[in-house]
Amino acid sequence: MLAQEPDLIVIGGGSAGMAMATRLAQGGKRVLLLEAGRSHRDIRSYVPALMAGMVHTPQFDWMYRAEPDPSVGGRGDVWPAGKRLGGGSAINGMMFIRGHAYDYDRWASLGATGWDYASVLPYFRRLEDNERGSDEWRGAGGPIAVSEVRSKYGVTADWIAAVTQAGFPRSPDLNGKQNEGVDYIQLSQRNGLRSSTAAAYLKDRPLGLDILTEAQVLKIELAKGRATGVTIRRGGEVRTLATREGVVLCAGALNSPRLLMLSGIGPAEHLREHGITVAVDAPGVGQNLQEHPGVHLVNEVAAHTLNDDSRGFAGFKSLLAFLFGRRGALTTGIGHAQAFVRSREGLPAPNIQLAFSAFAFDVTPTGNLALRENSSVSTFVALMRPEARGTITLRSDDPDAAPVIRHQLLGVEEDAVQLVEGLQIARRIMRQDAIAPLVTREVRPGADCSSPEALRAYVGAATIPMYHPVGTVKMGAADDSTAPLTADCRVKGVEGLWVADASVMPTIPQGNTNATSIMIGERASALVLEALR
């Protein structure tokens, strides 16, 4: 299978894993990257507007179903997890946002020393090739292309103007010095095509990097307190692969805790319930699950939107614009502009994300999304720092069994209160002079939903996860029993075993989490190389 035993095995070729494996190989290590899914080479993973054909599709998505959530009427949502090289970056909405400096300084204050904003900024700059150019905050020449929106609609500029009329600042760059206010969204795209970590980091693949796709890791092998390799299944064959120096787990916030527990690292009582021999009693594994909850405001408008460009002759023109200019509707990400705002006084950072899209969907009777037939826009209102926490646990000792996801999106009433405040702000923006003349109707929640009680009921029925799970194998201080990892991403109690993906985040950052996950792969690769020197 392999010409020689690798120095390091990286489990998971997703957003963080691809950065990790590539940087380790560039650092002189012989690296074997194991990915349970297939290659990223599929047209749907390149054409941005085809993302709807990947999420909740078994070829691309593990489609884990959470347990029924009583805080949203007992609904059991499907939580995606990328099932291709590139992971979430191969199927997501491509919004590139770093979060707020406050979040990283908070990580450091919670025991993740070395993860303050000043420390992570060089790795954010290293990973990106920003279309706006480089400065002391932004980077150029890195693997991940960060581009401007290439599907332009005048109503987006009107919404940005309306946000400023509502009293919020205009940021020149939400990924730069000012992480608050309103700006156009930037996307993980190059020349109108998706820039997943697989497409980006493998463009100049280092010689020391071997990759096995469709290789499912069943467990991490431990001997005498050290990670010595992994057992995998590939093509029906089960075998154990050894490693000289260690294993780096990058399977994501849903799967990394599951694999640790299957390997005997986790809450001892829970492991014994499933007949798993306890190697390390790590009570924090699978705890601290966090997710951004959000809800839509949808308006019909007397303006040209992407809904108009998706049908008939306009749809054909959109196809030509993409084929010959890499522009237009087929290059669209999940949003066109966004604002980070505070819904009340006294907060240390914005608590609400407003993501504006010059299009809107309806939910079909089968539960799928379909572009609305009328010209419409949507504002997705999301809570940035929810108090609710959930868990990831084992269903059984069967490595093919999906993890048990227990999380109440609105399990803390204060989270619902802040979402209602965000929804009220989104409505106020749509009443500003810059955009109000274009608004013909509020579709959701609707004009009759006006009282705080009615808005709270709407939030309770319509809130959905943003697909940003984090925190389930968090970093922390050496004496923090709730943190399975030290601040250098090493698993406590095991030599030669690290975790580096969204699961290591102590708290969820502001905005979409993909750029932060890639940064974690970059930063943690330097920590691993330093530890092995």
Side-chain angles (χ1 to χ4, degrees), residues 140-494:
I144 300 293
V146 183
S147 302
E148 303 305 312
V149 171
R150 298 165 75 93
S151 50
K152 299 289 182 69
Y153 294 91
V155 69
T156 305
D158 297 330
W159 184 80
I160 289 175
V163 174
T164 63
Q165 288 177 350
F168 302 104
R170 177 72 163 86
S171 171
D173 185 354
L174 287 168
N175 287 312
K177 181 179 180 180
Q178 185 178 327
N179 308 138
E180 182 169 358
V182 63
D183 188 21
Y184 288 98
I185 282 172
Q186 284 195 301
L187 300 171
S188 300
Q189 291 184 5
R190 187 182 298 278
N191 298 325
L193 299 177
R194 177 189 294 272
S195 181
S196 72
T197 55
Y201 283 91
L202 294 182
K203 184 178 179 182
D204 297 306
R205 178 173 168 177
L207 290 175
L209 176 58
D210 292 316
I211 300 175
L212 288 181
T213 56
E214 300 182 73
Q216 183 181 353
V217 175
L218 306 182
K219 67 178 294 191
I220 299 163
E221 296 296 332
L222 307 174
K224 299 180 181 179
R226 185 173 191 85
T228 59
V230 298
T231 296
I232 70 167
R233 182 173 60 227
R234 187 171 189 255
E237 177 188 8
V238 175
R239 62 177 297 177
T240 298
L241 304 175
T243 171
R244 291 192 184 95
E245 297 184 278
V247 174
V248 187
L249 178 56
C250 304
L254 305 182
N255 267 318
S256 283
R258 185 179 70 92
L259 273 172
L260 287 174
M261 288 186 280
L262 288 171
S263 307
I265 302 168
E269 184 177 347
H270 179 59
L271 300 186
R272 293 189 186 108
E273 287 175 2
H274 294 292
I276 297 171
T277 301
V278 179
V280 177
D281 180 13
V285 171
Q287 305 300 301
N288 195 46
L289 174 62
Q290 296 160 65
E291 169 65 292
H292 286 139
V295 66
H296 280 98
L297 171 72
V298 177
N299 297 91
E300 288 185 354
V301 292
H304 189 79
T305 71
L306 188 144
N307 295 71
D308 304 300
D309 287 339
S310 64
R311 297 181 298 273
F313 183 65
F316 179 67
K317 287 174 64 179
S318 295
L319 176 61
L320 293 179
F322 177 77
L323 291 176
F324 294 103
R326 293 289 187 264
R327 295 190 175 275
L330 288 174
T331 68
T332 196
I334 200 65
H336 296 110
Q338 66 182 334
F340 292 103
V341 303
R342 305 181 200 215
S343 67
R344 58 178 74 164
E345 297 293 327
L347 297 173
N351 63 323
I352 297 293
Q353 178 185 21
L354 304 171
F356 179 83
S357 303
F359 59 83
F361 291 98
D362 280 329
V363 180
T364 69
T366 59
N368 296 319
L369 295 179
L371 281 169
R372 304 193 78 248
E373 291 193 5
N374 297 332
S375 300
S376 304
V377 299
S378 60
T379 309
F380 191 70
V381 181
L383 180 62
M384 292 296 89
R385 294 173 190 86
E387 294 182 23
R389 299 291 185 268
T391 61
I392 300 291
T393 54
L394 293 177
R395 199 168 299 276
S396 72
D397 64 350
D398 180 0
D400 289 322
V404 178
I405 304 168
R406 291 190 178 92
H407 184 73
Q408 294 190 34
L409 287 172
L410 301 177
V412 176
E413 181 59 24
E414 173 62 17
D415 293 349
V417 170
Q418 290 187 51
L419 270 182
V420 169
E421 291 173 356
L423 195 53
Q424 290 169 327
I425 290 171
R427 277 179 153 177
R428 178 157 60 89
I429 289 167
M430 300 304 289
R431 292 196 297 267
Q432 301 302 311
D433 290 345
I435 199 168
L438 300 176
V439 178
T440 58
R441 184 167 76 98
E442 182 179 291
V443 180
R444 290 194 296 274
D448 57 342
C449 185
S450 57
S451 69
E453 295 77 17
L455 283 175
R456 175 61 182 89
Y458 174 70
V459 164
T463 293
I464 58 174
M466 282 188 72
Y467 308 152
H468 299 161
V470 310
T472 50
V473 193
K474 73 174 183 178
M475 303 179 286
D479 60 354
D480 182 356
S481 63
T482 69
L485 305 180
T486 58
D488 58 0
C489 296
R490 184 180 58 82
V491 176
K492 295 176 182 177
V494 183

